[in-house]
Amino acid sequence: MSDDTMSRSNIDQPIIVAVDGSPASRAAIEWAAEEALLHGRRLTLVHAVAPVYVDTHDPVLRARIQRWRIYSARELLADTKADLVQRTQLDADAVATVLQVAHPVHILTQVSQHAAMLVLGSRFHGSWGGRRLGSVSAALCYRAHCPVAVVHTHRHERETAPVLVGVDGSVASDHAVSVAFEEAARRRVGLVAVHAWSDENVLQLIGADWDHYRADAETALHTALLQARVRYPGVTVTEKVFCDRPAHWLIKEAEHAGLVVVGSHGRGVVSALLNGSVATAVAERADVPVIIARAG
């Protein structure tokens, strides 16, 4: 495949956003539209009509209810597309819609195979439990085949704030660094790179020796950023090293960021399905959009 063909193939990968009519979904749609314009990509709106049990033995009534649900879903997608075309610089040809009768996790995992990014609201209709990150969004953070962006709210006052990236030296972290630098360059903002010395509670173990370990951590962080700095010389970088708890420090630093980028998993994660990982914790608790950079 030639470089030109590969370039066209990349451009053809759309940004996909889940649509369900909830406030979280509307924030995700707005952010996804801006991301599509920023990257010069098409936008695809996806809605899943999840199968439901209808407590009736009347097949005619069941069919009527299903037809109504599908009709309502088509109206939602059509209204969402029309609103985007009217309010943004996206034209109608740049916005596609997909409607499937399937569980949201299934269809969104499937379409993510051909996406540049999957954008999700933090919670879906039907999510349960008290956590900020709904069950559907949490599952897709690990199952999607492309980078996943989780959007709680879309705050325009953060648009000039820096991009924040977590760095731990893993392959997933290296991909997150590449994504973060590209996002910062396109937004014309700075980048803050954070490295936490360990996933374990090591503060009591190293005690006063932290100054010695800090030098090694600073060197590791600087080395991890070298290639990206060369590729994006216009991005101003601030490096920060902390002792212990990467999720804690990323969430804290996110208070001053416009976007957070983390790897899909980092050092110390035994399974991609492990609850409480750094990526999930940041996606759940950070108020700004969080991109979980999955290489596919």
Side-chain angles (χ1 to χ4, degrees):
M1 181 180 291
S2 69
D3 290 342
D4 288 343
T5 302
M6 290 180 64
S7 177
R8 286 195 300 271
S9 177
N10 289 337
I11 292 174
D12 286 343
Q13 292 181 315
I15 290 176
I16 292 177
V17 58
V19 178
D20 71 357
S22 67
S25 172
R26 288 193 288 272
I29 292 164
E30 184 175 352
W31 188 87
E34 294 181 3
E35 191 74 1
L37 287 167
L38 192 65
H39 288 262
R41 293 185 181 273
R42 294 176 295 111
L43 181 67
T44 300
L45 312 174
V46 177
H47 180 80
V49 178
V52 296
Y53 174 73
V54 180
D55 188 15
T56 177
H57 297 292
D58 185 348
V60 176
L61 179 57
R62 286 201 301 268
R64 289 180 61 185
I65 292 173
Q66 184 69 345
R67 285 197 301 270
W68 173 80
R69 296 180 71 227
I70 293 173
Y71 171 80
S72 298
R74 286 175 177 160
E75 288 290 294
L76 173 62
L77 285 172
D79 290 345
T80 302
K81 176 176 178 176
D83 180 64
L84 283 175
V85 172
Q86 181 180 7
R87 292 192 304 104
T88 73
Q89 297 179 35
L90 289 168
D91 58 47
D93 293 335
V95 183
T97 60
V98 173
L99 172 62
Q100 291 283 345
V101 179
H103 190 278
V105 173
H106 173 76
I107 183 59
L108 290 169
T109 300
Q110 186 178 61
V111 299
S112 72
Q113 297 180 63
H114 310 291
M117 183 183 296
L118 175 63
V119 183
L120 308 169
S122 56
R123 296 186 65 81
F124 281 67
H125 281 317
S127 293
W128 56 275
R131 301 174 68 90
R132 290 186 68 200
L133 193 63
S135 57
V136 172
S137 298
L140 286 162
C141 285
Y142 296 114
R143 297 189 185 186
H145 300 278
C146 65
V148 175
V150 177
V151 181
H152 293 282
T153 58
H154 185 38
R155 300 170 61 179
H156 291 283
E157 67 271 19
R158 293 284 189 94
E159 290 179 352
T160 58
V163 172
L164 173 68
V165 61
V167 183
D168 68 3
S170 66
V171 174
S173 169
D174 291 342
H175 185 60
V177 167
S178 297
V179 171
F181 267 85
E182 181 181 0
E183 293 289 342
R186 290 184 181 275
R187 287 168 166 76
R188 299 181 180 180
V189 299
L191 181 141
V192 176
V194 168
H195 174 67
W197 180 247
S198 175
D199 288 349
E200 302 295 332
N201 189 351
V202 298
L203 187 57
Q204 294 179 350
L205 296 179
I206 64 176
D209 291 334
W210 166 234
D211 286 340
H212 169 73
Y213 287 98
R214 178 190 292 275
D216 292 339
E218 289 174 345
T219 299
L221 175 57
H222 188 75
T223 301
L225 301 175
L226 280 178
Q227 291 186 1
R229 282 179 179 271
V230 173
R231 289 180 58 196
Y232 300 95
V235 175
T236 301
V237 181
T238 301
E239 300 178 13
K240 295 188 177 184
V241 173
F242 299 102
C243 178
D244 189 31
R245 296 187 297 167
H248 166 80
W249 287 109
L250 285 168
I251 293 165
K252 185 175 180 61
E253 291 294 318
E255 296 174 4
H256 310 291
L259 172 69
V260 181
V261 183
V262 291
S264 57
H265 57 82
R267 185 177 60 249
V269 175
V270 176
S271 167
L273 298 178
L274 183 65
N275 290 328
S277 73
V278 172
T280 303
V282 175
E284 181 171 37
R285 295 180 57 191
D287 287 330
V288 295
V290 176
I291 295 177
I292 300 175
R294 299 183 61 84

